[in-house]
Amino acid sequence: MDRPSGTAPASAIARMAAWLVALLWLAALAPAHAQGLPDWQNLHVNDFAGLLAPEDAQALDGALAALREQTGIEGTVVTLPDRARHGGTDGLEPFATRLFNHWGVGDAARNDGFMVLVLAQDREARIELGRGYENDADILAQDIMRNTMLPAFRDGRMSQGIREGTQAVIDLIARPVAAGQPLAMPRRSLMDRILPFLFGAAGLAILGAAARQTWRRNRCPRCGRRGLETQVAPLETPLPEGGHMVSQDNVTRRCPACGWSETRQRLRPQTVWYGPTGTVLRSEPTPGYRSAARGSSGFGGGSSRGGGASGRW
């Protein structure tokens, strides 16, 4: 029987419908991927959402700069209006981990960096820790989130909550870890005490593998023995008006077995000017550090496995 004039075949209609559905689906996905992750503008405080009072932003910048200068641990504070515009529709935790790894927060060998992330319109916050932290740090981060940051956010004290929460991470997690001291853990329920043991084996296996790899690389080029010692000292450049400037470190590797040694200069992410009495006058990003660092990040190339704590208010 002849098909009536002007009537399209059913298969053609089905194909057109399938193409229309596919185009609509792609259009729906486009906004999530239209914007990439934001680039950092400051190594310590990136208040893109404008949540911080000027005095709190200055206090945080000073505290994080001092932490980095004294311990080598990199911490950063980030506020954003929301995560959807940066491709974060898959959730807070995956987005925070991607942003952390994209910037490369923390030393690449120790992975001891941290990020305090606050999303104003999403009403979400995250303390993201580098993969070098153990499970106890996650528990302590959750305590800081629950008892310091979220109560302030719920009261509308956003700037205060960010400042006090970040300072708590510095004082209770970063500095004790840098000093090799045990973390002062909060009181925990029985379940809180059991959970770290359930996941501890996997974490220990990962840390053990990283330690073995580092041990194998730590070999003297002269005698072949392992156990090279590494010392890092600031390279001070005198200033005409007195005081000094530090933009590089002298990194010395020495073999205690045969006496071999090697010293190289390494750029610091921040150049710091000191007065004649040793007081910090100012600090600025070191020119050329971005290209010398791993990848395109101005941080140390660290990464996170997704550890830390989240909160919503």
Side-chain angles (χ1 to χ4, degrees), residues 278-289:
T279 57
V280 176
L281 301 178
R282 72 181 192 277
S283 64
E284 297 177 2
T286 301
Y289 178 79

Side-chain angles (χ1 to χ4, degrees), residues 121-306:
Q121 297 175 15
D122 296 330
R123 302 178 70 86
E124 296 174 337
R126 172 83 179 162
I127 300 172
E128 186 79 11
L129 299 177
R131 66 174 62 246
Y133 288 96
E134 298 183 0
N135 292 329
D136 281 353
D138 296 344
I139 298 173
L140 194 51
Q142 187 60 60
D143 187 70
I144 295 170
M145 177 67 68
R146 182 187 303 118
N147 297 322
T148 301
M149 298 180 69
L150 293 182
F153 294 165
R154 292 181 181 123
D155 290 344
R157 296 177 285 113
M158 299 298 300
S159 184
Q160 180 182 349
I162 296 171
R163 187 194 73 236
E164 293 180 351
T166 304
Q167 190 64 55
V169 175
I170 293 173
D171 294 338
L172 302 180
I173 299 179
R175 287 192 178 275
V177 166
Q181 300 172 353
L183 299 180
M185 300 302 296
R187 292 183 175 272
R188 298 178 290 172
S189 66
L190 179 61
M191 183 58 66
D192 289 334
R193 299 186 183 198
I194 293 175
L195 284 177
F197 293 100
L198 297 179
F199 298 99
L204 288 175
I206 295 172
L207 291 175
R212 284 195 300 271
Q213 185 178 7
T214 301
W215 181 77
R216 289 171 182 170
R217 290 198 307 263
N218 196 25
R219 184 188 294 270
C220 175
R222 177 188 291 174
C223 68
R225 295 189 181 182
R226 298 183 177 90
L228 293 179
E229 299 174 346
T230 302
Q231 294 182 339
V232 180
L235 180 59
E236 299 181 357
T237 302
L239 298 174
E241 63 274 17
H244 61 276
M245 175 188 71
V246 177
S247 63
Q248 299 183 76
D249 286 323
N250 277 330
V251 181
T252 302
R253 295 194 305 158
R254 179 182 177 277
C255 176
C258 70
W260 172 89
S261 66
E262 176 188 66
T263 299
R264 296 182 179 181
Q265 278 73 48
R266 180 180 66 188
L267 284 177
R268 288 186 168 196
Q270 292 284 108
T271 297
V272 182
W273 283 261
Y274 296 88
T277 60
T279 57
V280 176
L281 301 178
R282 72 181 192 277
S283 64
E284 297 177 2
T286 301
Y289 178 79
R290 176 182 288 268
S291 59
R294 294 191 176 193
S296 60
S297 173
F299 292 90
S303 61
S304 172
R305 56 174 169 77

